[in-house]
Amino acid sequence: MSLEFCDLGMQPLANHFLTEKELAQGEVFYPLKVVVCESCWLVQLEHPVPRERMFSDYAYFSGQSDHWVQHCREFAAEMVERFQPKSVIEIASNDGTLLKQFHALRVPAVLGVEPSYNLAKHAGWHGAPTLAAYWGKHTAGTVESADLIVAMNVLAHVPDLDDFIGGIADALAPDGVVVFEFPWLWRLIERGDWDTIYHEHHSYLSLTAVSDLLRRRGLYICDASEVTTHGGSLRVIASTVPTTTMDSAEKRIKLLAFEASIGLDKPPIYQAFAGLPAMEREAARSRLCGKQITTIGYGAAAKGVTFLNYCGIGRETVSHIIDSTPAKQGKFAPGTHIPIVPPESLRYLRPSRIIVLPWNWRDEIEAKIHAQCDWYPEIVSRPFHMERARLAA
Ligand code: JHZ
């Protein structure tokens, strides 16, 4: 039995930026509905899209955010100090941003595994050796085992979690550890971040669900904590040996108890979420649409694509979206067809209002806007319904 969590209607693929030629060819929209399993409480898409349609050529390059690069630098330093790995595999290593940090710290063997061929090639050119493949038991059988396996922001994208985690268990060296980071379902619910729902995100994960998945494949959590990236994520460390320090066991137990206390294993918390996107759509439209204010977006994030399409905000309101990713520039945003332009365009566009679509990088982007502008545009970002509530208070 499943329960509806959120229905965002028909949506385009969030990272399928279109060329001028593709605009004329029409675009495919897919149902975007998330449901909750009432027996294991895993939150997943009802209609998955074949992964090859989303990841063969991928427009998201993680190294575009200075804060993410800093997060990777600190993460690698912490992992090297704590586990002294001689070999590291990063799954879904994207453009190699994290791998390069392990390289800089002189870890002898570093390998990325990345399904998007364009990213794997880019990472290889920039000094991060990368195998172009989807991770799973098959790929695990083709690589040397590693002391440290890292899976940052990938678990949510995986349709067959058993095969993915089984591959990790196979590829871990006997005393090795695996580290996952993934957006935390609780923060999504608490902050109302419905725009982080798009077809790439197959699952929306709690520690409770991840603990069960890992245990099924013989992996034991030895540490779990919250990190601030992407609106609030969990960092989970696991190994094939059930050894834990008192301190980390206590942290994990506290987080699991917290999830139980807020009722992630009961229907009401999910049922209450279902009406939220429509509420924010109304608030966002009344705040942003139908006004004679020159407006642009900043950051052609996947979450921005969900936000604009679901709210029905298009070129009539947002003339351009600025993005520093070369693979997105010169193309058009999925669904809305808003042109994507480089940061240098800000000076000639001279907008009066800028919507920061990746609210998770708002401080960084706001600083970049102020550094470039000799005028004072209004800078806004979601959530708009909360902003309204704050203003009313
Ligand atoms: P950002 C991605 O989501 C996609 P997105 C993915 N599916 C995932 O799981 C999550 O991350 C975790 C641009 N930008 O990071 C770069 C600037 O132009 O919020 C990006 O296009 N200038 C893997 O796409 C976008 O904004 C800047 O200064 O929602 C940010 O996208 C900065 C900071 C960003 O992730």
Side-chain angles (χ1 to χ4, degrees), residues 58 60 157 198 200-201 302-303 323-324 328 360-361 368:
Y58 196 44
Y60 181 71
H157 301 71
Y198 39 85
E200 281 171 27
H201 288 167
K303 58 177 75 64
D323 199 286
S324 58
K328 295 182 183 176
N360 45 315
W361 306 127
K368 287 176 185 168

Side-chain angles (χ1 to χ4, degrees), residues 18-262:
L18 300 109
T19 59
E20 193 136 25
K21 195 167 151 209
E22 284 169 326
L23 281 185
Q25 291 165 354
E27 207 178 352
V28 186
F29 282 59
Y30 302 84
L32 183 54
K33 184 171 174 188
V34 179
V35 291
V36 189
C37 166
E38 283 189 83
S39 42
C40 71
W41 302 101
L42 194 59
V43 181
Q44 289 196 315
L45 286 185
E46 188 171 62
H47 306 282
V49 174
R51 59 189 187 179
E52 291 71 17
R53 286 194 207 159
M54 295 183 281
F55 301 118
S56 300
D57 185 50
Y58 196 44
Y60 181 71
F61 284 58
S62 60
Q64 295 300 314
S65 157
D66 300 343
H67 278 90
W68 181 253
V69 177
Q70 176 67 12
H71 179 71
C72 290
R73 191 175 299 124
E74 287 167 7
F75 174 85
E78 190 182 325
M79 293 301 128
V80 166
E81 191 188 330
R82 189 163 164 185
F83 301 114
Q84 285 111 38
K86 298 272 176 298
S87 49
V88 176
I89 292 176
E90 190 195 359
I91 303 172
S93 47
N94 198 272
D95 59 2
T97 296
L98 175 60
L99 281 179
K100 281 185 266 179
Q101 300 297 336
F102 284 111
H103 240 316
L105 293 167
R106 301 190 190 287
V107 174
V110 170
L111 177 69
V113 179
E114 166 56 52
S116 307
Y117 185 68
N118 64 317
L119 284 165
K121 206 162 71 175
H122 172 96
W125 281 340
H126 291 84
T130 305
L131 176 68
Y134 285 98
W135 182 259
K137 283 178 81 67
H138 173 76
T139 303
T142 67
V143 299
E144 297 284 325
S145 63
D147 301 332
L148 175 65
I149 297 183
V150 181
M152 293 267 209
N153 291 316
V154 56
L155 216 46
H157 301 71
V158 177
D160 185 347
L161 285 161
D162 273 334
D163 178 59
F164 184 90
I165 294 168
I168 291 176
D170 292 350
L172 264 188
D175 293 325
V177 291
V178 52
V179 187
F180 300 94
E181 279 187 16
F182 52 88
W184 188 13
L185 174 64
W186 161 237
R187 291 289 174 221
L188 187 165
I189 294 174
E190 183 206 24
R191 296 171 39 100
D193 292 337
W194 56 270
D195 57 339
T196 61
I197 294 173
Y198 39 85
H199 302 96
E200 281 171 27
H201 288 167
H202 199 275
S203 320
Y204 302 83
L205 297 160
S206 63
L207 185 60
T208 312
V210 170
S211 305
D212 286 352
L213 287 163
L214 295 179
R215 202 174 323 112
R216 278 219 298 267
R217 286 287 162 183
L219 288 171
Y220 301 90
I221 296 181
C222 40
D223 202 357
S225 51
E226 187 175 6
V227 289
T228 56
T229 46
H230 292 291
S233 301
L234 287 182
R235 177 181 294 175
V236 171
I237 306 183
S239 77
T240 52
V241 197
T243 50
T244 54
T245 62
M246 276 313 281
D247 179 43
S248 60
E250 224 170 82
K251 273 196 284 175
R252 172 175 54 90
I253 289 161
K254 265 194 192 154
L255 275 169
L256 286 170
F258 171 74
E259 287 190 351
S261 76
I262 55 167

